[in-house]
Each structure stands twice: as C-alpha cells, then as structure tokens.
Short mmCIF file of all heavy atoms in Angstrom, two decimals:
data_model
loop_
_atom_site.label_atom_id
_atom_site.label_comp_id
_atom_site.label_asym_id
_atom_site.label_seq_id
_atom_site.Cartn_x
_atom_site.Cartn_y
_atom_site.Cartn_z
N MET A 1 -28.18 -0.05 3.62
CA MET A 1 -27.32 0.01 2.45
C MET A 1 -26.31 1.15 2.64
O MET A 1 -26.66 2.22 3.13
CB MET A 1 -28.12 0.20 1.19
CG MET A 1 -27.30 0.23 -0.06
SD MET A 1 -28.34 0.37 -1.52
CE MET A 1 -27.67 -0.92 -2.47
N GLN A 2 -25.08 0.92 2.29
CA GLN A 2 -24.00 1.91 2.42
C GLN A 2 -24.00 2.90 1.26
O GLN A 2 -24.18 2.51 0.12
CB GLN A 2 -22.68 1.16 2.48
CG GLN A 2 -21.52 1.99 2.93
CD GLN A 2 -20.25 1.15 3.11
OE1 GLN A 2 -20.06 0.19 2.41
NE2 GLN A 2 -19.43 1.54 4.05
N SER A 3 -23.84 4.18 1.56
CA SER A 3 -23.82 5.20 0.53
C SER A 3 -22.53 5.11 -0.26
O SER A 3 -21.55 4.50 0.18
CB SER A 3 -23.93 6.59 1.17
OG SER A 3 -22.74 6.95 1.85
N ARG A 4 -22.51 5.75 -1.41
CA ARG A 4 -21.31 5.72 -2.23
C ARG A 4 -20.15 6.44 -1.54
O ARG A 4 -19.00 5.99 -1.60
CB ARG A 4 -21.60 6.40 -3.58
CG ARG A 4 -22.55 5.57 -4.47
CD ARG A 4 -22.90 6.30 -5.75
NE ARG A 4 -21.81 6.56 -6.65
CZ ARG A 4 -21.33 5.68 -7.56
NH1 ARG A 4 -21.92 4.51 -7.71
NH2 ARG A 4 -20.32 6.00 -8.34
N LEU A 5 -20.48 7.49 -0.82
CA LEU A 5 -19.42 8.21 -0.08
C LEU A 5 -18.85 7.32 1.02
O LEU A 5 -17.60 7.28 1.20
CB LEU A 5 -19.98 9.52 0.50
CG LEU A 5 -18.99 10.34 1.34
CD1 LEU A 5 -17.78 10.74 0.52
CD2 LEU A 5 -19.66 11.54 1.94
N ALA A 6 -19.68 6.65 1.73
CA ALA A 6 -19.21 5.77 2.80
C ALA A 6 -18.35 4.64 2.19
O ALA A 6 -17.33 4.22 2.79
CB ALA A 6 -20.37 5.20 3.59
N SER A 7 -18.72 4.12 1.03
CA SER A 7 -17.97 3.08 0.37
C SER A 7 -16.59 3.62 -0.04
O SER A 7 -15.59 2.93 0.07
CB SER A 7 -18.69 2.56 -0.84
OG SER A 7 -19.84 1.84 -0.49
N LEU A 8 -16.58 4.82 -0.56
CA LEU A 8 -15.32 5.44 -0.99
C LEU A 8 -14.42 5.68 0.23
O LEU A 8 -13.20 5.35 0.17
CB LEU A 8 -15.57 6.79 -1.67
CG LEU A 8 -14.36 7.58 -2.10
CD1 LEU A 8 -13.55 6.80 -3.15
CD2 LEU A 8 -14.75 8.93 -2.65
N VAL A 9 -14.97 6.16 1.33
CA VAL A 9 -14.19 6.37 2.55
C VAL A 9 -13.63 5.04 3.05
O VAL A 9 -12.47 4.93 3.43
CB VAL A 9 -15.02 7.10 3.62
CG1 VAL A 9 -14.29 7.08 4.95
CG2 VAL A 9 -15.31 8.50 3.18
N GLU A 10 -14.46 4.00 3.07
CA GLU A 10 -14.04 2.70 3.54
C GLU A 10 -12.90 2.16 2.67
O GLU A 10 -11.90 1.64 3.20
CB GLU A 10 -15.20 1.71 3.51
CG GLU A 10 -14.82 0.34 3.98
CD GLU A 10 -15.99 -0.65 3.95
OE1 GLU A 10 -17.09 -0.28 3.57
OE2 GLU A 10 -15.73 -1.83 4.30
N ALA A 11 -13.02 2.30 1.38
CA ALA A 11 -11.99 1.79 0.45
C ALA A 11 -10.70 2.58 0.67
O ALA A 11 -9.61 1.99 0.70
CB ALA A 11 -12.44 1.92 -0.98
N ALA A 12 -10.78 3.90 0.82
CA ALA A 12 -9.60 4.73 1.04
C ALA A 12 -8.90 4.36 2.32
O ALA A 12 -7.68 4.27 2.39
CB ALA A 12 -9.95 6.19 1.02
N VAL A 13 -9.65 4.16 3.38
CA VAL A 13 -9.09 3.77 4.67
C VAL A 13 -8.40 2.39 4.57
O VAL A 13 -7.31 2.21 5.10
CB VAL A 13 -10.16 3.79 5.78
CG1 VAL A 13 -9.64 3.12 7.07
CG2 VAL A 13 -10.58 5.20 6.08
N ASN A 14 -9.05 1.46 3.87
CA ASN A 14 -8.46 0.11 3.70
C ASN A 14 -7.13 0.21 2.94
O ASN A 14 -6.14 -0.48 3.29
CB ASN A 14 -9.42 -0.83 2.97
CG ASN A 14 -10.49 -1.35 3.86
OD1 ASN A 14 -10.32 -1.47 5.06
ND2 ASN A 14 -11.62 -1.68 3.27
N VAL A 15 -7.11 1.01 1.90
CA VAL A 15 -5.87 1.20 1.14
C VAL A 15 -4.75 1.82 2.02
O VAL A 15 -3.59 1.39 1.99
CB VAL A 15 -6.09 1.99 -0.16
CG1 VAL A 15 -4.76 2.41 -0.80
CG2 VAL A 15 -6.95 1.22 -1.13
N ALA A 16 -5.14 2.84 2.75
CA ALA A 16 -4.16 3.53 3.60
C ALA A 16 -3.61 2.61 4.68
O ALA A 16 -2.40 2.56 4.92
CB ALA A 16 -4.81 4.77 4.25
N ILE A 17 -4.49 1.83 5.33
CA ILE A 17 -4.03 0.87 6.36
C ILE A 17 -3.14 -0.17 5.71
O ILE A 17 -2.10 -0.49 6.27
CB ILE A 17 -5.22 0.28 7.07
CG1 ILE A 17 -5.91 1.33 7.94
CG2 ILE A 17 -4.78 -0.93 7.92
CD1 ILE A 17 -7.22 0.88 8.56
N GLY A 18 -3.53 -0.68 4.56
CA GLY A 18 -2.70 -1.68 3.88
C GLY A 18 -1.35 -1.14 3.52
O GLY A 18 -0.32 -1.81 3.65
N PHE A 19 -1.27 0.10 3.07
CA PHE A 19 -0.02 0.73 2.75
C PHE A 19 0.90 0.85 3.96
O PHE A 19 2.07 0.49 3.90
CB PHE A 19 -0.26 2.13 2.12
CG PHE A 19 0.99 2.87 1.83
CD1 PHE A 19 1.76 2.57 0.70
CD2 PHE A 19 1.43 3.90 2.66
CE1 PHE A 19 2.94 3.26 0.42
CE2 PHE A 19 2.59 4.59 2.38
CZ PHE A 19 3.37 4.26 1.26
N VAL A 20 0.34 1.27 5.07
CA VAL A 20 1.12 1.46 6.32
C VAL A 20 1.61 0.09 6.80
O VAL A 20 2.75 -0.06 7.17
CB VAL A 20 0.29 2.16 7.39
CG1 VAL A 20 1.01 2.14 8.74
CG2 VAL A 20 0.04 3.63 6.99
N VAL A 21 0.74 -0.91 6.78
CA VAL A 21 1.14 -2.25 7.20
C VAL A 21 2.29 -2.80 6.32
O VAL A 21 3.27 -3.34 6.82
CB VAL A 21 -0.06 -3.23 7.24
CG1 VAL A 21 0.39 -4.67 7.40
CG2 VAL A 21 -1.03 -2.83 8.32
N ALA A 22 2.11 -2.63 5.03
CA ALA A 22 3.14 -3.10 4.08
C ALA A 22 4.49 -2.33 4.32
O ALA A 22 5.57 -2.94 4.29
CB ALA A 22 2.68 -2.93 2.63
N LEU A 23 4.37 -1.05 4.50
CA LEU A 23 5.55 -0.26 4.74
C LEU A 23 6.30 -0.66 6.00
O LEU A 23 7.51 -0.86 5.97
CB LEU A 23 5.19 1.24 4.81
CG LEU A 23 6.31 2.25 4.89
CD1 LEU A 23 7.14 2.23 3.64
CD2 LEU A 23 5.70 3.65 5.11
N LEU A 24 5.55 -0.82 7.08
CA LEU A 24 6.19 -1.28 8.31
C LEU A 24 6.77 -2.66 8.18
O LEU A 24 7.85 -2.95 8.72
CB LEU A 24 5.16 -1.22 9.48
CG LEU A 24 4.68 0.14 9.88
CD1 LEU A 24 3.56 0.05 10.88
CD2 LEU A 24 5.82 1.03 10.37
N THR A 25 6.10 -3.54 7.45
CA THR A 25 6.61 -4.90 7.24
C THR A 25 7.93 -4.89 6.48
O THR A 25 8.90 -5.53 6.90
CB THR A 25 5.56 -5.74 6.54
OG1 THR A 25 4.36 -5.80 7.31
CG2 THR A 25 6.06 -7.16 6.29
N GLN A 26 7.95 -4.13 5.39
CA GLN A 26 9.21 -4.10 4.63
C GLN A 26 10.32 -3.41 5.37
O GLN A 26 11.48 -3.80 5.25
CB GLN A 26 8.98 -3.56 3.22
CG GLN A 26 8.87 -2.03 3.15
CD GLN A 26 8.49 -1.55 1.78
OE1 GLN A 26 7.69 -2.16 1.08
NE2 GLN A 26 9.02 -0.40 1.39
N MET A 27 9.98 -2.43 6.19
CA MET A 27 11.02 -1.71 6.96
C MET A 27 11.62 -2.64 8.03
O MET A 27 12.75 -2.49 8.43
CB MET A 27 10.44 -0.46 7.59
CG MET A 27 10.20 0.63 6.58
SD MET A 27 9.40 2.06 7.27
CE MET A 27 10.71 2.72 8.26
N ALA A 28 10.85 -3.62 8.50
CA ALA A 28 11.37 -4.57 9.45
C ALA A 28 12.05 -5.75 8.74
O ALA A 28 13.10 -6.23 9.20
CB ALA A 28 10.19 -5.11 10.30
N LEU A 29 11.48 -6.19 7.66
CA LEU A 29 12.01 -7.39 6.95
C LEU A 29 13.28 -7.14 6.12
O LEU A 29 14.20 -7.93 6.17
CB LEU A 29 10.91 -7.98 6.08
CG LEU A 29 11.20 -9.30 5.37
CD1 LEU A 29 11.49 -10.39 6.40
CD2 LEU A 29 10.06 -9.65 4.45
N PHE A 30 13.30 -6.05 5.40
CA PHE A 30 14.42 -5.78 4.52
C PHE A 30 15.77 -5.76 5.23
O PHE A 30 16.72 -6.39 4.80
CB PHE A 30 14.21 -4.49 3.70
CG PHE A 30 13.23 -4.60 2.56
CD1 PHE A 30 12.38 -5.71 2.42
CD2 PHE A 30 13.10 -3.59 1.65
CE1 PHE A 30 11.50 -5.79 1.38
CE2 PHE A 30 12.23 -3.67 0.58
CZ PHE A 30 11.41 -4.78 0.45
N PRO A 31 15.90 -4.99 6.34
CA PRO A 31 17.19 -4.97 7.02
C PRO A 31 17.60 -6.38 7.57
O PRO A 31 18.78 -6.71 7.56
CB PRO A 31 16.98 -4.01 8.19
CG PRO A 31 15.89 -3.14 7.76
CD PRO A 31 14.98 -4.02 6.91
N ALA A 32 16.62 -7.17 7.96
CA ALA A 32 16.89 -8.52 8.42
C ALA A 32 17.42 -9.37 7.32
O ALA A 32 18.12 -10.38 7.57
CB ALA A 32 15.61 -9.16 9.01
N MET A 33 17.19 -9.00 6.05
CA MET A 33 17.66 -9.74 4.91
C MET A 33 18.89 -9.05 4.31
O MET A 33 19.31 -9.42 3.20
CB MET A 33 16.55 -9.87 3.87
CG MET A 33 15.35 -10.62 4.42
SD MET A 33 14.04 -10.75 3.22
CE MET A 33 14.70 -12.08 2.22
N GLY A 34 19.41 -8.04 4.95
CA GLY A 34 20.60 -7.34 4.47
C GLY A 34 20.33 -6.23 3.46
O GLY A 34 21.26 -5.78 2.82
N VAL A 35 19.10 -5.86 3.30
CA VAL A 35 18.74 -4.80 2.36
C VAL A 35 18.47 -3.51 3.13
O VAL A 35 17.55 -3.43 3.93
CB VAL A 35 17.47 -5.19 1.53
CG1 VAL A 35 17.09 -4.09 0.57
CG2 VAL A 35 17.65 -6.49 0.80
N ARG A 36 19.30 -2.54 2.91
CA ARG A 36 19.16 -1.21 3.60
C ARG A 36 18.70 -0.17 2.58
O ARG A 36 19.33 -0.01 1.55
CB ARG A 36 20.47 -0.82 4.19
CG ARG A 36 21.13 -1.85 5.06
CD ARG A 36 20.97 -1.52 6.53
NE ARG A 36 21.62 -2.53 7.32
CZ ARG A 36 21.00 -3.20 8.30
NH1 ARG A 36 19.72 -2.95 8.58
NH2 ARG A 36 21.63 -4.10 9.00
N LEU A 37 17.61 0.46 2.90
CA LEU A 37 17.06 1.47 1.99
C LEU A 37 16.69 2.75 2.76
O LEU A 37 16.40 2.69 3.95
CB LEU A 37 15.80 0.95 1.32
CG LEU A 37 15.89 -0.28 0.44
CD1 LEU A 37 14.50 -0.75 0.03
CD2 LEU A 37 16.74 0.00 -0.77
N SER A 38 16.70 3.84 2.04
CA SER A 38 16.27 5.12 2.63
C SER A 38 14.72 5.11 2.72
O SER A 38 14.06 4.32 2.09
CB SER A 38 16.73 6.30 1.79
OG SER A 38 16.14 6.23 0.49
N MET A 39 14.21 6.02 3.51
CA MET A 39 12.76 6.11 3.72
C MET A 39 12.05 6.43 2.38
O MET A 39 11.00 5.87 2.09
CB MET A 39 12.42 7.19 4.72
CG MET A 39 10.94 7.24 5.02
SD MET A 39 10.32 5.67 5.54
CE MET A 39 9.30 6.15 6.88
N ASP A 40 12.64 7.26 1.54
CA ASP A 40 11.98 7.59 0.26
C ASP A 40 11.90 6.37 -0.63
O ASP A 40 10.92 6.17 -1.38
CB ASP A 40 12.61 8.76 -0.43
CG ASP A 40 14.08 8.54 -0.88
OD1 ASP A 40 14.82 7.90 -0.09
OD2 ASP A 40 14.47 9.05 -1.94
N ARG A 41 12.91 5.48 -0.56
CA ARG A 41 12.87 4.22 -1.33
C ARG A 41 11.78 3.26 -0.80
O ARG A 41 11.08 2.63 -1.54
CB ARG A 41 14.20 3.52 -1.34
CG ARG A 41 15.27 4.28 -2.08
CD ARG A 41 14.91 4.35 -3.56
NE ARG A 41 15.98 5.03 -4.28
CZ ARG A 41 15.90 5.39 -5.51
NH1 ARG A 41 14.82 5.11 -6.19
NH2 ARG A 41 16.86 6.04 -6.08
N HIS A 42 11.67 3.21 0.54
CA HIS A 42 10.63 2.40 1.15
C HIS A 42 9.24 2.91 0.72
O HIS A 42 8.35 2.12 0.37
CB HIS A 42 10.70 2.43 2.67
CG HIS A 42 11.70 1.46 3.25
ND1 HIS A 42 11.57 0.10 3.17
CD2 HIS A 42 12.84 1.68 3.98
CE1 HIS A 42 12.58 -0.47 3.77
NE2 HIS A 42 13.35 0.46 4.27
N LEU A 43 9.09 4.22 0.72
CA LEU A 43 7.78 4.79 0.31
C LEU A 43 7.48 4.51 -1.16
O LEU A 43 6.36 4.17 -1.52
CB LEU A 43 7.76 6.31 0.56
CG LEU A 43 7.77 6.71 2.06
CD1 LEU A 43 8.03 8.19 2.17
CD2 LEU A 43 6.45 6.33 2.73
N LEU A 44 8.51 4.60 -1.99
CA LEU A 44 8.30 4.33 -3.40
C LEU A 44 7.95 2.87 -3.65
O LEU A 44 6.97 2.60 -4.40
CB LEU A 44 9.61 4.65 -4.21
CG LEU A 44 9.58 4.33 -5.69
CD1 LEU A 44 8.50 5.12 -6.39
CD2 LEU A 44 10.92 4.59 -6.31
N ILE A 45 8.64 1.96 -3.01
CA ILE A 45 8.32 0.54 -3.18
C ILE A 45 6.88 0.23 -2.66
O ILE A 45 6.09 -0.45 -3.31
CB ILE A 45 9.32 -0.36 -2.41
CG1 ILE A 45 10.68 -0.28 -3.12
CG2 ILE A 45 8.86 -1.80 -2.29
CD1 ILE A 45 11.83 -0.89 -2.29
N GLY A 46 6.54 0.81 -1.53
CA GLY A 46 5.17 0.63 -1.00
C GLY A 46 4.12 1.18 -1.93
O GLY A 46 3.08 0.56 -2.14
N ALA A 47 4.40 2.35 -2.53
CA ALA A 47 3.45 2.93 -3.46
C ALA A 47 3.29 2.10 -4.72
O ALA A 47 2.14 1.90 -5.18
CB ALA A 47 3.92 4.35 -3.84
N VAL A 48 4.39 1.59 -5.23
CA VAL A 48 4.32 0.74 -6.44
C VAL A 48 3.48 -0.51 -6.17
O VAL A 48 2.60 -0.86 -6.92
CB VAL A 48 5.75 0.38 -6.96
CG1 VAL A 48 5.65 -0.71 -7.98
CG2 VAL A 48 6.43 1.60 -7.48
N PHE A 49 3.78 -1.20 -5.05
CA PHE A 49 3.02 -2.39 -4.74
C PHE A 49 1.53 -2.08 -4.44
O PHE A 49 0.66 -2.88 -4.79
CB PHE A 49 3.65 -3.16 -3.59
CG PHE A 49 4.80 -4.00 -4.00
CD1 PHE A 49 6.10 -3.72 -3.60
CD2 PHE A 49 4.60 -5.08 -4.85
CE1 PHE A 49 7.16 -4.48 -4.01
CE2 PHE A 49 5.67 -5.85 -5.26
CZ PHE A 49 6.94 -5.57 -4.85
N THR A 50 1.25 -0.92 -3.87
CA THR A 50 -0.15 -0.52 -3.62
C THR A 50 -0.85 -0.31 -4.98
O THR A 50 -1.98 -0.77 -5.19
CB THR A 50 -0.20 0.75 -2.76
OG1 THR A 50 0.40 0.47 -1.51
CG2 THR A 50 -1.64 1.22 -2.58
N LEU A 51 -0.21 0.35 -5.90
CA LEU A 51 -0.79 0.55 -7.26
C LEU A 51 -1.02 -0.76 -7.99
O LEU A 51 -2.04 -0.95 -8.66
CB LEU A 51 0.09 1.51 -8.07
CG LEU A 51 0.08 2.97 -7.61
CD1 LEU A 51 1.13 3.75 -8.40
CD2 LEU A 51 -1.27 3.59 -7.71
N VAL A 52 -0.04 -1.64 -7.86
CA VAL A 52 -0.19 -2.99 -8.48
C VAL A 52 -1.41 -3.72 -7.88
O VAL A 52 -2.22 -4.32 -8.58
CB VAL A 52 1.11 -3.81 -8.34
CG1 VAL A 52 0.88 -5.27 -8.72
CG2 VAL A 52 2.17 -3.20 -9.22
N SER A 53 -1.52 -3.64 -6.58
CA SER A 53 -2.64 -4.30 -5.90
C SER A 53 -4.00 -3.70 -6.33
O SER A 53 -4.95 -4.43 -6.56
CB SER A 53 -2.47 -4.18 -4.38
OG SER A 53 -3.55 -4.78 -3.71
N LEU A 54 -4.05 -2.38 -6.44
CA LEU A 54 -5.25 -1.74 -6.90
C LEU A 54 -5.64 -2.14 -8.31
O LEU A 54 -6.78 -2.43 -8.64
CB LEU A 54 -5.13 -0.22 -6.82
CG LEU A 54 -5.17 0.36 -5.39
CD1 LEU A 54 -4.82 1.83 -5.42
CD2 LEU A 54 -6.51 0.16 -4.72
N ALA A 55 -4.62 -2.19 -9.18
CA ALA A 55 -4.85 -2.60 -10.55
C ALA A 55 -5.31 -4.02 -10.61
O ALA A 55 -6.23 -4.35 -11.40
CB ALA A 55 -3.56 -2.39 -11.39
N ARG A 56 -4.69 -4.87 -9.83
CA ARG A 56 -5.08 -6.28 -9.82
C ARG A 56 -6.50 -6.50 -9.33
O ARG A 56 -7.22 -7.36 -9.85
CB ARG A 56 -4.10 -7.06 -8.92
CG ARG A 56 -4.18 -8.55 -8.99
CD ARG A 56 -3.18 -9.23 -8.06
NE ARG A 56 -3.42 -8.93 -6.66
CZ ARG A 56 -4.30 -9.60 -5.92
NH1 ARG A 56 -5.00 -10.56 -6.44
NH2 ARG A 56 -4.44 -9.30 -4.66
N SER A 57 -6.94 -5.68 -8.38
CA SER A 57 -8.28 -5.82 -7.85
C SER A 57 -9.35 -5.20 -8.74
O SER A 57 -10.54 -5.36 -8.51
CB SER A 57 -8.38 -5.20 -6.44
OG SER A 57 -8.30 -3.81 -6.51
N GLY A 58 -8.90 -4.46 -9.74
CA GLY A 58 -9.87 -3.85 -10.68
C GLY A 58 -10.25 -2.43 -10.31
O GLY A 58 -10.94 -1.76 -11.07
N VAL A 59 -9.80 -1.94 -9.16
CA VAL A 59 -10.15 -0.60 -8.72
C VAL A 59 -9.59 0.44 -9.69
O VAL A 59 -10.30 1.33 -10.13
CB VAL A 59 -9.67 -0.31 -7.30
CG1 VAL A 59 -9.87 1.14 -6.91
CG2 VAL A 59 -10.35 -1.23 -6.31
N ALA A 60 -8.33 0.34 -10.04
CA ALA A 60 -7.70 1.30 -10.94
C ALA A 60 -8.12 1.07 -12.41
O ALA A 60 -7.98 1.94 -13.24
CB ALA A 60 -6.18 1.27 -10.80
N GLY A 61 -8.67 -0.10 -12.67
CA GLY A 61 -9.02 -0.44 -14.03
C GLY A 61 -10.44 -0.03 -14.39
O GLY A 61 -10.87 -0.27 -15.51
N GLY A 62 -11.16 0.57 -13.46
CA GLY A 62 -12.50 1.06 -13.75
C GLY A 62 -13.60 0.03 -13.66
O GLY A 62 -14.69 0.25 -14.15
N ARG A 63 -13.34 -1.11 -13.03
CA ARG A 63 -14.39 -2.13 -12.89
C ARG A 63 -15.35 -1.76 -11.81
O ARG A 63 -15.14 -1.12 -10.89
CB ARG A 63 -13.77 -3.47 -12.54
CG ARG A 63 -13.41 -4.26 -13.77
CD ARG A 63 -13.42 -5.70 -13.53
NE ARG A 63 -12.20 -6.10 -12.79
CZ ARG A 63 -12.04 -7.29 -12.29
NH1 ARG A 63 -12.98 -8.22 -12.37
NH2 ARG A 63 -10.93 -7.60 -11.66
#
C-alpha cells in the first residue's frame, strides 16, 4: 500500500508533468494558428487550465 506522502508526491509530479506537456503543446500549436503570446501569457494560460483540471477532478474541491 502506498503512503499518503508517496501519493502526494505522485500527484504533484503528475500535475507538474501535465503542466509542462500542456505548455509545450500550446507553445507549438498557438503560433501555427497565428496566435503569438509572450511566455508569461503562456504560463498564465497553462496555470488556468491546470487549475480547471484539478477542480474538475475533485482535487481542489476537497473530495
């Protein structure tokens, strides 16, 4: 059985990897669609979508 700390670390790593993958994807896709953004805007968009994903999964909602 996995400890609570190991579960927390696993969840944090999954979120971090997902954020980086999403960020790299939008940085490649947006310019191809004619959308040019600064790095701080890319980070903001990635953070918003990460928070939405966490809320949707129930993590941020305390489930």
Side-chain angles (χ1 to χ4, degrees):
M1 181 177 230
Q2 192 174 33
S3 72
R4 290 176 64 87
L5 178 58
S7 292
L8 178 63
V9 169
E10 180 181 359
V13 169
N14 282 332
V15 169
I17 290 171
F19 177 77
V20 170
V21 168
L23 186 64
L24 293 174
T25 301
Q26 77 187 38
M27 288 175 70
L29 185 61
F30 284 12
M33 299 179 78
V35 179
R36 307 256 182 235
L37 298 173
S38 63
M39 183 57 136
D40 64 322
R41 292 295 182 189
H42 277 295
L43 291 169
L44 177 62
I45 291 168
V48 168
F49 279 113
T50 298
L51 291 173
V52 168
S53 179
L54 288 171
R56 191 179 64 83
S57 71
V59 173
R63 272 206 283 170

